[in-house]
Amino acid sequence: MLFAEITYALTGIGLFALGLRGSLLRRSLLGRIIGFNVCGAGVFMLFVAIAYRGPEQVPDALPHALVLTGIVVAVSATALALALGRRLRESEHE
Amino acid sequence: MNSLPVWPIMLPLGAALLAVIWPRRSAWIGIAASLATLTAVGLLMAQVASRGTLVHALGGWEPGLGIALRADALAVALLLMSSLVALAAGWYATGYFRDANRQSQFWPVWLLMLAALHAMLLSADLFNIYVTLELLGLSAVALAALGGGRAAIEAALRYLTVGLLGSLAFLAGVAVMYTRYGTLDMLALAALIEPGPASWLALSLMTAGLLVKSALFPLHFWLPPAHANAPAPVSAALSALVVKAAVYLMMRLWLDLFAPILGPASAWLLGLLGAAAVLWGSWSALRAQRLKLLAAYSTVAQLGYLFIFFPLLAALPPGPARDTAFGALVLMALTHGFAKSALFLAAGMIQQHAGHDRIEELGGTARALPVTTFTFALAGVALIGLPPSGAFLAKWQLLSSAIALGQWLWVPVVAAGSLMAAAYVFRVLGFAFGPSNGVMQKLADGREGLPALLLAIVATAVLGLGAAAVWHFVAPGALLTEAQR
């Protein structure tokens, strides 16, 4: 089932590129935030794919643990970006 | 005491939590923690000097499963700079933020930033480095937004997005490394590393991420607004420490972990970008209308010099000549750290006193703020690279290595950069010594300027006159690859 692993890895690379494009080129803040989340999802997908060790084998646990940490970081970063975005809007209304 | 490497991380981290719990005491907690951290770093430095590199497995879990902290001479030298700069900038911050509310917002994030920075310097694991890179980025963004104005928040948001993309690229590189080598422990990787497409891909991805974070030309666009709009103590730390952390990781990857498999050609790209950064950054600093923007563009230029060292070090075979050039690189980084933090603190003093930082309206500054003007000039001496500053010796070494290796290109770049640095420093001093426009007449209390002055003295005199000690400490046995030699 090497096919599955390659599919995951290629999807991951595709998402990374898509997210990169979105977070660089989007004008709206929300679009950019979603962009870097998609970009991050791509990298996490890559980690999921490299944990695969063969059809009868237990997958490598370390990359999965790394993805969990990565998700926590991505959530915190998104929260900070949204909080800053809200501040920016409040300063517009003043 | 084998657990010594833990303290420079745990002390600021614990103090950050305390500062959240007791917001009214946050300044005291912060200063006490900074002093304690400096003491811990001093002890660590003494141990590393006498016994060599220290490795500490966190919680007793051996690397592979657990995470190792590794304190070598390079890491400890930068730790000492960061804890000294943080202490001085924190001391200055106690007077800078007049309002108690602002103090209580500043200290927890400031201490978190310090903990993340120290954890990064001491990490010997690629994934842990990614985590500390993100923690450092997030706390730096929060600090940069502390100014509160619209421009500051916009700059902080751009800083955040750009920084996140940088760390994601770094993370993708980490994934490739794990796929290829099956470990993320840098000591194990140093023994396994070999040329091949996976290694190149991993290095390219991690480098791309770090170049964004270290603001190397042409990826510097986010730095000037973020650094110029932050409160002065924050700008000092961002310019002196946070960007330097990414450069430190570049040194770890290019001059240490990947050094055995890299040809001299690839480092030329970094050198060329560095040269462009020196020229463009210095030119933009010369044309800047605001003092803090000048300081931020000067950071872009000064970081460029550090990257010019890369092709020189790649061309030098391991041995005394390479060790000398490596010591010069570290000296350059340290001098810039102290000089630029002093410059930003001085700029903050001028801005608070005059109510603005427009360079052409700074007449009378020299009379109203003699200590601060002196600080600015001293920091300028180090930025230009005049003797006896550390930058003078570092640039001298840079030029002599370039000439010895026949890499002539760097000589005119360094000369032009230094000339432009002299021009932008003297331009400010010229206006500062000019006639007063009415605002700047009252003589200010000199004590407030003391932290900045001390930083400038370290950059100009201590690092220059004590350069032999830095070389002696950093040059031999500093690196991961040393174990294999």
Side-chain angles (χ1 to χ4, degrees):
Chain A
M1 283 296 284
L2 197 66
F3 177 68
E5 191 191 1
I6 289 178
T7 313
Y8 267 87
L10 285 181
T11 314
I13 293 166
L15 283 174
F16 182 79
L18 212 65
L20 193 65
R21 184 176 172 277
S23 56
L24 288 177
L25 298 183
R26 287 267 168 189
R27 293 230 150 238
S28 77
L29 174 66
L30 208 58
R32 290 213 304 266
I33 293 176
I34 294 172
F36 73 66
N37 271 291
V38 171
C39 194
V43 180
F44 300 155
M45 201 87 139
L46 207 61
F47 270 103
V48 171
I50 64 178
Y52 183 73
R53 286 196 292 204
E56 300 297 315
Q57 310 271 317
V58 183
D60 188 354
L62 189 80
H64 289 177
L66 302 187
V67 169
L68 281 180
T69 316
I71 290 173
V72 173
V73 172
V75 169
S76 335
T78 309
L80 181 60
L82 289 171
L84 285 175
R86 221 180 83 173
R87 272 284 197 81
L88 201 60
R89 280 206 37 189
E90 279 167 8
S91 77
E92 262 165 31
H93 286 303
E94 270 162 16
Chain B
M1 270 226 295
N2 202 10
S3 64
L4 211 49
V6 176
W7 293 106
I9 306 168
M10 288 311 288
L11 286 168
L13 185 62
L17 298 178
L18 285 180
V20 174
I21 300 173
W22 286 299
R24 264 186 276 163
R25 295 265 171 279
S26 58
W28 287 109
I29 295 170
I31 292 293
S34 304
L35 280 170
T37 310
L38 183 61
T39 315
V41 170
L43 290 173
L44 186 60
M45 192 164 208
Q47 284 240 332
V48 171
S50 64
R51 286 208 260 148
T53 302
L54 282 181
V55 179
H56 176 69
L58 279 176
W61 297 91
E62 285 309 310
L65 190 60
I67 292 164
L69 295 183
R70 187 170 173 283
D72 64 10
L74 173 62
V76 172
L78 288 169
L79 269 179
L80 187 66
M81 170 183 83
S82 113
S83 40
L84 277 171
V85 169
L87 179 61
W91 176 14
Y92 173 74
T94 55
Y96 181 85
F97 296 112
R98 300 274 154 79
D99 167 14
N101 204 11
R102 295 292 298 281
Q103 289 275 355
S104 63
Q105 289 169 348
F106 166 77
W107 282 101
V109 198
W110 174 261
L111 292 164
L112 271 181
M113 180 208 74
L114 211 56
L117 179 65
H118 291 179
M120 170 194 286
L121 292 174
L122 291 168
S123 285
D125 177 283
L126 282 180
F127 188 75
N128 207 35
I129 287 178
Y130 159 72
V131 175
T132 52
L133 202 59
E134 286 280 39
L135 288 175
L136 185 63
L138 292 179
S139 45
V141 167
L143 284 171
L146 216 56
R150 201 183 147 74
I153 294 175
E154 265 176 2
L157 259 174
R158 184 176 318 140
Y159 185 16
L160 176 65
T161 342
V162 171
L164 278 174
L165 292 177
S167 26
L168 281 174
F170 185 86
L171 183 63
V174 173
V176 176
M177 283 300 271
Y178 187 75
T179 320
R180 174 68 183 77
Y181 296 104
T183 179
L184 294 172
D185 178 45
M186 287 173 81
L187 268 178
L189 281 173
L192 293 172
I193 199 104
E194 56 189 26
S199 299
W200 306 139
L201 178 63
L203 181 63
S204 316
L205 282 167
M206 290 193 279
T207 301
L210 292 174
L211 289 187
V212 173
K213 294 225 167 218
S214 53
L216 181 59
F217 182 88
L219 299 169
H220 65 282
F221 57 91
W222 57 268
L223 187 146
H227 287 196
N229 287 309
V234 174
S235 313
L238 291 182
S239 254
L241 308 177
V242 177
V243 258
K244 209 65 52 68
V247 178
Y248 162 79
L249 290 181
M250 283 297 288
M251 287 162 71
R252 272 275 178 253
L253 294 182
W254 281 74
L255 307 177
D256 195 0
L257 186 56
F258 286 87
I261 63 165
L262 282 174
S266 46
W268 266 84
L269 180 64
L270 292 180
L272 287 173
L273 291 176
V278 168
L279 299 175
W280 173 252
S282 306
W283 177 245
S284 306
L286 194 56
R287 291 174 42 111
Q289 297 297 313
R290 286 179 47 212
L291 192 52
K292 288 182 80 179
L293 210 55
L294 176 149
Y297 274 115
S298 149
T299 297
V300 173
Q302 297 283 327
L303 291 169
Y305 289 112
L306 303 179
F307 284 100
I308 295 181
F309 277 95
F310 281 64
L312 297 174
L313 285 162
L316 286 165
R322 190 179 190 274
D323 290 346
T324 310
F326 185 77
L329 167 57
V330 176
L331 190 63
M332 187 84 198
L334 294 178
T335 309
H336 172 250
F338 286 107
K340 189 49 61 67
S341 48
L343 194 72
F344 262 119
L345 295 188
M349 294 277 300
I350 293 172
Q351 189 175 27
Q352 278 200 327
H353 204 75
H356 67 85
D357 67 340
R358 291 184 294 277
I359 295 171
E360 289 176 7
E361 297 167 33
L362 287 180
T365 308
R367 254 176 66 189
L369 295 166
V371 177
T372 304
T373 311
F374 182 54
T375 304
F376 188 92
L378 269 184
V381 164
L383 291 179
I384 301 167
L386 296 175
S389 71
F392 169 70
L393 293 163
K395 277 185 182 170
W396 182 272
Q397 194 56 51
L398 173 65
L399 289 177
S400 44
S401 302
I403 293 170
L405 287 166
Q407 300 190 8
W408 294 97
L409 177 60
W410 315 126
V411 179
V413 171
V414 172
S418 304
L419 268 179
M420 284 196 270
Y424 65 66
V425 168
F426 286 120
R427 176 167 167 253
V428 175
L429 288 177
F431 283 112
F433 278 95
S436 171
N437 55 4
V439 186
M440 302 283 268
Q441 277 183 337
K442 206 174 97 240
L443 185 69
D445 185 356
R447 275 173 300 179
E448 243 180 290
L450 206 56
L453 182 62
L454 290 176
L455 287 174
I457 288 174
V458 171
T460 309
V462 177
L463 277 173
L465 302 177
V470 177
W471 253 297
H472 185 71
F473 182 66
V474 174
L479 305 169
L480 296 167
T481 39
E482 205 68 28
Q484 272 81 49
R485 271 196 219 156

